[in-house]
Every structure is written in C-alpha cells, then in structure tokens.
C-alpha cells in the first residue's frame, strides 16, 4: 500500500471533501497561497480551489471561529485552522459558548457543521504558549466532538467524517506527527467517530494512548516484548465520543492499564479514562491504574527541561513494569 | 518535655476507640511523625503518629484496651525526665475505662480489620466466582498482594487434589427436609446417648402369639414407659419446657425417596393390636408415598429401627423439636449368664439419644430401664 505523511493525508482529506462538496471551505492564518499553513497542511489548495475557498484571515482566532460558526449555521461547511492549539484559548467563547450550544439552544433548528483543526504537543522547542495539549478543556464542554488521530490513515479517515458531520468537531493534530509516514489506501474511506483502534494486540497489560503518545507506546511495547512482556496498545481515535466499551474490553482481557497522554495530569484526559475504567471494569483490574502524563507545569522553553516533562518510552516502560 | 499521646477523634460520632497495636515498646526512642500506635474506631483503623520526639516512657493503655476519645494512650518524654503521677486517674480524668453499660468494641472487629488481605479487584472477583476464601490464597506480588494469577494457581492446585465428580445431585424434597432437620437438631440440641441390652425372649414369644411385629411391641412399651417418664415426652421452646399430654410416637420408615416418620397418635391409649394395624397402614402408605401431612405431624417421640439391616447399636439424631429418640438394633442369639449359668437368649440393644438441655443422664437411664423392664416382662 502507498505511504503518505500525516500532513499529506490531512491535505488529501481536505482536497477530496472540497472536490466532493462545494460548501466546504477553509479559513485560517497564513493557510493560503503565500504560505500554505504553518505546518503546510493546506499547501497548494489555494492554487487549486481559489482564494475564496482557502481564505487567509487576520490574526484573530476569535474572528476565525466566529466567522466559521456563522458560515456553518448558514449552510456552509467551514474548516477553520488555528495555527497552534494553545491559541484556541482566544476563541474559547466562540467554540465553547457558541458552536457547542447553538444546536441545543435553538431546539435543533440549526446545526453547526464546523471543523476546527489545530495542532497540540511539545517537543519542538517553542515554549509554553505553543506546546500544550489541551484536549481535556474540550472534552469537558458538552456539544463538541473531539478527534485525536495518531496515524496518517486515521487522520484522513477521521477528518473526512468530521467535515461530513453536522456537529462542531475539535480536530486535534500533533506537531511531531506531521512528517510521520503511514499506509493510506488509494480508495475512498472514512472512519466513524467513537470507534477505538487496537494498534497492537497483547496479553499482559493495556496501554491507552493518544496522538503522539501512541507512537511512543508502540516503541515501548516493542522494547517490553523483548523483555517478555506482551502489551496491548489501544488508541481511542476520538475522545468524544469515547469508545469506553473497547477500553473496558481490553482491560478485562489484560487486567492492567497504563494511561499515557501528553496533557498535564491533573483533571486531564487520563483522569477521565481512569474514572471510566474504575466504573466499568474495576472487578477485572489486577493492579492499580497507572497514569503517565505531563507534570502540572508550563512546558519549559529550555530543550533539556522540555524533554524532561514530555512522557517518554522509559516512563511508559517503567509504568508497565510497575503493574505487571 | 512530657507529651501525652491521646486517642484521636476519627469521626464526628466517635466516642471511644480500641488500641490495636503499639509499634514501639516502652523505653524505645520515637521520632515525631513516626507511626506509634494503631487504633480502631467503629469505622476505621488509624496509625497515631508520635506527637513529639523522645522516649516512649510509658504505655498507659495496652493492646485491646477501649479508650475514650482524648484518653491518654502513652507518654513520651526525655530519658530522665520526671513523669507526672502514673496513677491513671491522675494522668488524666478522661482516660477512665468505658462505662460498662456501653457495649464494648468487639474483639472480632479488631481481628477482621487486621486480617484484611491485600488483593486486586480481579483476584477478588475470580475468588468470588469460584467460592474461594481469598484468605487461603498466597499472594505473589510485593507486600503479599494477591493477584488474579495467584487465585488461578490456587484453583489449579485444588483441581489436582480434589476428587473427580461423577454426578451432581441437587438436594430436593425429602432429602432436603431431612438435611435441614438433622442440621437443626445437631446444631441446637446437645445430644447425649445411653444404651442398654434387652433380653427379648418374652417379646419374641408375644410377637408369635399376637401376630404383631417387634416394632409394634416396642411402640407399645415405649408409650407405656413415657406415661411414667413424662419429661422425655416434651420439647424445649425458648425458656420453657413443654411437657405433652399426648404421647404421639413417630416411627422412622426408610422409603425409596428417603426417610419419613409417620406418627401413631396417642399410642398409649391404643391396644397392641390397634398399634399394629395403625402402623401397618402407615408403613404401607409411606412406601407408596401417600402419607398425608396430618399423618406426619404432631410427633412427640421417635423410634428408629435399623435391626433389619444387621445393625447392633447406633446413635440416632433427635427428631426436632422432640426431646429424645430411641434407636433399636437387631435381635441376636447370644450367650448370656442367668443364675451363673450360660444360656443363649435373643438379645437386642436399645440406644436413647436425648436433648441434654431438657433431661439429664439419670432420668434418661431410668426411662430406658423401664422400657427394658416392660419388654422383658411382656
């Protein structure tokens, strides 16, 4: 099968959906013909579809999402890009108070078919304002869907589903995943939301991981395999809706769970997953639930300190060894 | 500095606690913050930390003591420091023992909490599913924590040693009733048994003459003896012994479906021939499974005979709520001495099991002696 980078897979999804449906359009800072997006996801699309459908915007995240919400409720399918996930804080009112609630507050008379794409994650030495992982903020807001693809295949399939849906989707990418290559079939496909994927089957312990942590979990699993421990890696792919059944099933099989996420630990994604496991699979746990997450601290600018706070393979291996 | 270690208040409603374990001995050095003594309230166990550093000079309340909240448990001081009066009342007016009127905290509770095992939820679930007492499983994880694999291994090992099962029979009908009743009897009535050998020569002659069975003669003899020894024809109910007017004799009958005990009502008022015909009818109905509830109810004393199976003597279980039961063995031709001469006589053992709460050995023996007398002179 052909291999694409995560970046190219996302671009292919955008392009195919723009070809398929002329109400689909993109807006964001520097996504047009002069720059093609800070991470080059939209490179070449302005040339193909014109400046009207690939719109460069002023530097105002609130305006980007606000305009997109307005377009969405009047019949368009906007895909807004926020250059760094951290800056979604500037558009918080539009996302959490408007996009998330309009369908409900207008009694379903209008839908908000909106996608907000934005990258999270540390590891490229760009300091606290550009390195966070803030998925939990949006998981905590009813009315939003949250996608967290970890492979090119998932990125393409989930983005297409996000664009075709009728509810607002926070589509979270990861900076370090953009150049990562993976198999993506030629034929058209989509991936439904709320369907977890077992990235690696195993017997002794389950690792739950999202985004870039899936890569690290798989690397850790490979090392553990050499040491005789068989680890299962499960990726939820979407946090809202969450495939809690699949997570519980894996835990029931292995009896041990290590939750690996890049967001900070307190009240983070990992807290929710741990709670669900305790609620739905407690009687199958053979060891305490372990979490590997970032410490509760701003991401440091210093590269060595930054590497120190990001969960790595060693931390994952250590956590697995604690429970098996 | 002299510091008192006191019983903490672990909850709003806690009035007193129990000293479970002292982690230090008198004279040992302690450091502030070290766990010093484990105490137990009705709800939780708690490690009381040393409130200051020094020497644990005195343990005021030893393990197992119940102490009011704020009562003094021990005293920490410097090695040579003068301690306050060691008289308990002087140490603290609050360290008085719990009022005798308040129920003391149960020792079992201390035990239960202390024996709580460290086991994973998965291990507990598996143990629950297989009816395994988790306390019997050995934990393999650090600190002896029991994990699922330990329970699995325990089950496998048990599997190896357990005998193979051929079939499983569910307890239903008569079997179930019998199981419940004998358990009740064995559990509640302290059994004691007296035995006696009876010369059945005259009973055997009577049997042939009157065309009746040994059991008929026994029923008649027992009914007669009970009239004179009423305490055996009774039941214990709560704080009262009820002595019955009616002498209703149950006779244990083995059927294909199990043991049933039809009752000959007012056996003492019936003639031997009447007893014989009543019993014949009842046994027939028992074998055919046609006994009515009424025919099975109201017994005050039971006779059980295993003589036909060659049993010489056995110890029967009382048929609750009755006071006693008479076991009958087989009649054997035996050499016995009569007037210093050896003669061969048909001999039979009787064994009387009685509820020792209701009667003692002497009256039970006297009753049995009377039965023997009647049989030997019949």
């Amino acid at each position: 099968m052909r291999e694409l980078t995560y970046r190219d897979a996302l671009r292919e999804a955008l392009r195919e959906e723009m070809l398929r449906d002329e109400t689909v359009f993109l807006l964001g800072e520097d996504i047009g013909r002069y720059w093609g997006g800070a991470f080059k996801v939209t490179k070449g699309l302005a040339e193909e579809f014109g400046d009207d459908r690939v719109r460069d915007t002023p530097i105002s995240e609130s305006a980007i999402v606000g305009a997109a919400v307005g377009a969405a409720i009047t019949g368009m399918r906007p895909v807004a890009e926020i250059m760094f996930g951290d800056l979604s804080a500037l558009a918080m009112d539009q996302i959490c108070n408007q996009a998330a609630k309009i369908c409900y507050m207008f009694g379903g008379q209008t839908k908000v078919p909106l996608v907000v794409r934005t990258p999270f994650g540390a590891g490229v030495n760009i300091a606290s304002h550009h390195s966070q992982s803030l998925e939990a903020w949006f998981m905590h807001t009813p009315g939003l869907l949250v996608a967290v693809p970890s492979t090119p295949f998932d990125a393409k399939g989930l983005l297409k589903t996000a664009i075709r849906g009728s509810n607002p989707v926070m589509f979270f990418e990861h900076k370090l995943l953009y150049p990562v290559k993976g198999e993506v079939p030629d034929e058209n496909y989509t991936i439904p939301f709320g369907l977890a994927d077992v990235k690696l089957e195993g017997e002794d312990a389950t690792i739950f991981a999202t985004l870039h942590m899936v890569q690290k979990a798989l690397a850790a699993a490979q090392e553990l395999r050499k040491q005789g421990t068989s680890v299962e890696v499960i990726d939820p792919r979407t946090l809202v809706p969450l495939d809690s059944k699949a997570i519980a099933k894996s835990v029931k099989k292995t009896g041990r769970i290590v939750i690996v996420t890049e967001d900070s630990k307190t009240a983070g994604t990992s807290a929710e997953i741990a709670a669900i496991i305790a609620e739905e699979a407690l009687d199958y746990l053979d060891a305490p639930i372990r979490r590997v997450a970032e410490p509760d601290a701003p991401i440091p600018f210093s590269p060595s300190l930054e590497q120190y706070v990001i969960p790595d393979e060693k931390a994952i291996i250590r956590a697995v060894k604690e429970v098996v | 500095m002299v510091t008192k270690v006191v019983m903490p208040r672990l909850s709003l409603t806690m009035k007193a606690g129990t000293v479970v374990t002292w982690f230090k001995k008198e004279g040992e050095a302690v450091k502030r913050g070290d766990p010093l003594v484990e105490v137990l309230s009705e709800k939780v166990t708690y490690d009381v930390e040393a409130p200051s550093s020094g020497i644990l000079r005195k343990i005021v309340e030893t393990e197992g003591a119940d102490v009011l909240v704020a009562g003094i448990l021990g005293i920490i001081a410097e090695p040579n420091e003068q301690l306050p009066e060691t008289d308990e009342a002087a140490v603290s007016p609050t360290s008085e023992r719990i009022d005798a009127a308040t129920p003391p905290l149960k020792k079992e509770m201390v035990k239960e909490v202390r024996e709580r095992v460290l086991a994973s939820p998965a291990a507990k679930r598996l143990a629950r599913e297989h009816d395994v007492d988790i306390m019997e499983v050995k934990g393999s994880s650090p600190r002896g924590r029991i994990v699922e694999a330990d329970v699995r291994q325990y089950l496998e090992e048990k599997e190896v040693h357990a005998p193979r099962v051929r079939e499983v029979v569910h307890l239903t009908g008569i079997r179930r009733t019998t199981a419940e009743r004998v358990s009740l009897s064995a559990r509640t009535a302290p059994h004691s048994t007296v035995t006696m050998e009876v010369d059945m020569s005259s009973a055997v002659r009577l049997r042939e003459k009157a065309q009746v069975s040994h059991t008929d003669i026994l029923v008649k003899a027992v009914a007669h003896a009970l009239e004179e020894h009423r305490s055996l024809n009774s039941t214990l109910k709560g704080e009262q012994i009820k002595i019955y007017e009616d002498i209703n004799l149950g006779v244990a009958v083995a059927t294909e479906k199990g043991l049933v005990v039809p009752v000959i009502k007012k056996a003492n008022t019936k003639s031997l021939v009447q007893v014989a015909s009543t019993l014949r009818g009842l046994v027939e109905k028992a074998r055919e499974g046609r006994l009515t509830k009424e025919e099975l109810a109201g017994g005050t004393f039971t006779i059980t005979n295993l003589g036909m199976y060659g049993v010489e003597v056995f110890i029967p279980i009382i048929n609750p709520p009755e006071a006693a039961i008479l076991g009958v063995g087989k009649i054997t031709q035996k050499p016995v001495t009569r007037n210093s001469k050896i003669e061969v006589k048909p001999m039979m053992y009787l064994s009387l099991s009685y509820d020792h709460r209701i009667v003692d050995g002497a009256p039970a023996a006297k009753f049995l002696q009377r039965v023997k007398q009647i049989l030997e002179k019949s």
Side-chain angles (χ1 to χ4, degrees):
Chain A
M1 198 184 293
R2 69 176 179 146
E3 289 207 335
L4 287 184
T5 61
Y6 189 85
R7 174 191 291 118
D8 291 343
L10 286 166
R11 187 188 303 115
E12 199 168 85
L14 291 171
R15 184 173 173 273
E16 284 174 16
E17 291 310 296
M18 289 175 84
L19 286 169
R20 183 179 160 271
D21 181 350
E22 60 178 17
T23 66
V24 176
F25 76 101
L26 318 181
L27 71 167
E29 294 160 13
D30 290 336
I31 65 164
R33 67 177 74 236
Y34 305 104
W35 198 243
F39 295 96
K40 307 296 177 206
V41 173
T42 55
K43 193 172 193 299
L45 294 179
E47 288 84 341
E48 182 174 354
F49 295 99
D51 299 335
D52 281 353
R53 293 186 71 191
V54 184
R55 303 180 77 99
D56 269 332
T57 66
I59 304 179
S60 170
E61 283 73 15
S62 184
I64 295 168
V65 179
V69 170
I73 61 180
T74 51
M76 302 296 284
R77 290 189 174 272
V79 181
E81 179 179 305
I82 294 179
M83 196 181 282
F84 289 92
D86 317 67
L87 308 176
S88 61
L90 292 157
M92 215 57 177
D93 183 61
Q94 290 302 329
I95 297 168
C96 293
N97 284 332
Q98 306 306 333
K101 295 178 173 63
I102 284 173
C103 177
Y104 172 77
M105 292 191 77
F106 288 88
Q109 292 179 82
T110 182
K111 306 271 194 210
V112 187
L114 159 72
V115 179
V116 177
R117 286 183 42 246
T118 193
F120 279 146
V124 286
N125 194 213
I126 46 176
S128 291
H129 288 136
H130 299 81
S131 303
Q132 299 169 84
S133 297
L134 303 168
E135 311 81 291
W137 288 3
F138 303 94
M139 284 174 77
H140 190 65
T141 303
L144 298 175
L145 302 179
V146 178
V148 281
S150 69
T151 65
F153 175 80
D154 292 344
K156 183 181 176 188
L158 289 170
L159 185 53
K160 291 178 71 137
T161 301
I163 293 169
R164 293 181 194 185
S166 49
N167 290 304
V169 176
M170 299 305 292
F171 197 91
F172 297 131
E173 299 158 11
H174 194 288
K175 295 169 195 90
L176 295 181
L177 286 175
Y178 287 124
V180 170
K181 281 189 159 185
E183 291 187 339
V184 178
D186 281 318
E187 57 271 25
N188 215 329
Y189 72 96
T190 59
I191 298 170
F193 276 30
L195 192 67
D197 187 33
V198 174
K199 298 290 187 209
L200 179 71
E201 289 201 19
E203 303 297 329
D204 302 331
T206 298
I207 300 177
F208 169 101
T210 56
L211 291 166
H212 191 231
M213 289 300 133
V214 175
Q215 305 274 338
K216 294 194 175 178
L218 289 169
Q222 209 167 21
E223 180 56 35
L224 283 162
R225 164 67 79 191
K226 284 185 211 153
Q227 301 174 23
T229 303
S230 158
V231 170
E232 180 146 312
V233 177
I234 188 164
D235 173 0
R237 301 199 288 195
T238 57
L239 291 169
V240 181
L242 183 71
D243 192 351
S244 54
K245 271 203 190 114
I247 298 165
K249 187 178 161 200
S250 179
V251 171
K252 285 177 184 179
K253 173 177 160 191
T254 64
R256 294 161 162 93
I257 179 78
V258 173
I259 304 161
V260 186
T261 59
E262 198 179 315
D263 60 346
S264 51
K265 190 170 180 179
T266 299
T269 313
S270 59
E272 179 61 24
I273 303 304
I276 287 173
I277 291 167
E279 284 174 340
E280 299 188 12
L282 181 75
D283 281 342
Y284 295 84
L285 281 177
D286 215 6
I289 298 170
R290 285 272 176 262
R291 292 193 278 160
V292 178
E294 253 160 26
D296 296 332
I299 306 296
F301 176 63
S302 147
S304 55
L305 288 179
E306 182 181 30
Q307 285 311 314
Y308 177 73
V309 301
I310 304 170
D312 60 8
E313 286 89 335
K314 275 188 203 149
I316 299 170
I317 290 170
R318 211 164 37 237
V320 170
K321 284 185 168 173
E322 273 174 25
V323 297
V324 293
Chain B
M1 194 185 67
V2 175
T3 314
K4 296 165 183 170
V5 183
V6 299
M7 175 65 72
R9 183 188 289 280
L10 301 175
S11 69
L12 196 63
T13 55
M14 177 176 166
K15 291 197 174 67
T18 306
V19 177
V20 180
T21 311
W22 279 96
F23 301 124
K24 301 275 182 185
K25 290 203 253 322
E26 273 186 9
E28 261 189 271
V30 297
K31 240 174 66 196
R32 189 177 161 185
D34 279 351
L36 184 59
V37 54
E38 184 187 14
V39 296
L40 167 78
S41 78
E42 280 171 43
K43 292 173 184 158
V44 292
T45 57
Y46 179 76
D47 290 348
V48 178
E49 293 174 356
S52 65
S53 300
I55 305 293
L56 177 61
R57 291 282 299 277
K58 184 163 178 59
I59 288 177
V60 177
E61 300 289 358
T62 51
E63 292 174 5
D66 299 329
V67 184
L68 286 176
V69 166
I72 295 176
L73 304 174
I75 295 170
I76 296 170
E78 295 306 317
N80 298 315
E81 213 167 351
Q82 177 74 38
L83 293 190
E85 281 298 308
T86 48
D87 180 292
E88 256 177 48
V91 170
S92 159
T94 55
S95 81
E96 65 197 80
R97 300 281 160 167
I98 310 286
D99 189 86
T102 57
L105 292 172
K106 284 196 182 127
K107 283 283 176 300
E108 287 87 332
M109 219 151 75
V110 180
K111 188 163 166 260
E112 185 190 318
V113 172
R114 297 207 56 192
E115 286 182 4
R116 181 173 295 161
V117 283
L118 223 49
S120 77
K124 288 179 186 160
R125 173 186 49 80
L126 193 65
R128 215 164 42 234
E129 284 170 0
H130 290 84
D131 235 356
V132 168
D133 180 358
I134 196 95
M135 310 279 284
E136 287 180 13
V137 182
K138 208 166 167 305
S140 65
S141 284
R143 294 198 295 146
R145 199 162 158 279
I146 300 162
V147 294
E148 198 178 1
D150 298 329
V151 182
R152 219 172 275 293
Q153 197 188 341
Y154 175 88
L155 286 169
E156 275 168 22
E157 282 168 10
K158 220 171 81 172
E159 193 74 26
V160 171
H161 298 299
R164 296 177 308 142
V165 175
R166 184 190 179 96
E167 64 172 325
V168 175
V169 179
H170 290 281
L171 273 188
T172 52
I174 294 177
R175 187 73 259 146
R176 190 189 178 123
T177 309
T178 304
E180 281 167 6
R181 294 182 61 78
V182 294
S183 307
L184 174 73
S185 180
R187 205 166 53 237
T188 59
H191 282 57
S192 188
T193 308
V194 287
T195 60
M196 229 171 254
E197 203 174 18
V198 181
D199 181 344
M200 290 294 280
S201 304
S202 72
V204 169
R205 279 196 299 276
L206 175 64
R207 182 184 151 226
E208 277 154 20
K209 202 172 79 189
Q211 295 286 304
V212 292
S213 73
H214 284 130
T215 309
D216 299 331
I217 296 168
L218 273 160
V219 167
K220 196 58 205 142
V222 166
H224 187 173
L226 282 174
E227 280 186 320
E228 295 165 20
H229 296 268
R230 290 280 175 174
S231 65
L232 273 297
N233 193 54
S234 67
T235 191
L236 179 69
K237 198 158 190 195
E239 304 280 304
Q240 294 174 327
I241 296 170
K242 274 192 196 166
I243 296 169
Y244 294 115
E245 173 62 34
D246 292 338
I247 294 172
N248 298 339
L249 287 190
V251 176
V253 179
T255 71
E256 272 177 21
K257 286 187 175 169
L259 181 70
V260 289
V261 186
V263 176
I264 304 164
K265 303 271 159 63
K266 297 181 187 169
N268 54 326
T269 65
K270 291 189 163 68
S271 70
L272 182 58
V273 177
Q274 282 173 322
V275 165
S277 79
T278 310
L279 189 56
R280 222 182 349 265
L282 288 171
V283 169
E284 201 170 300
K285 280 173 115 178
R287 300 256 149 84
E288 290 165 7
R290 290 191 296 117
L291 284 171
T292 65
K293 239 196 216 156
E294 290 72 32
E295 285 163 334
L296 288 165
T300 61
F301 188 101
T302 300
I303 295 171
T304 172
N305 188 347
L306 289 176
M308 58 285 226
Y309 302 110
V311 171
E312 293 205 8
V313 62
F314 66 102
I315 297 172
I317 291 178
I318 300 163
N319 186 13
E322 294 169 11
I325 185 166
L326 186 69
V328 180
K330 76 163 185 175
I331 297 172
T332 315
Q333 295 293 333
K334 262 191 200 171
V336 290
T337 53
R338 292 281 184 267
N339 305 321
S340 304
K341 281 204 307 202
I342 293 173
E343 292 178 26
V344 173
K345 297 279 184 191
M347 302 301 289
M348 180 184 81
Y349 273 108
L350 290 179
S351 49
L352 178 78
S353 289
Y354 57 96
D355 183 342
H356 213 318
R357 294 174 304 177
I358 302 174
V359 282
D360 296 332
K366 278 185 196 160
F367 163 75
L368 193 57
Q369 212 166 29
R370 184 67 185 122
V371 175
K372 173 181 160 89
Q373 236 170 41
I374 295 167
L375 287 171
E376 290 182 348
K377 288 191 177 146
S378 56

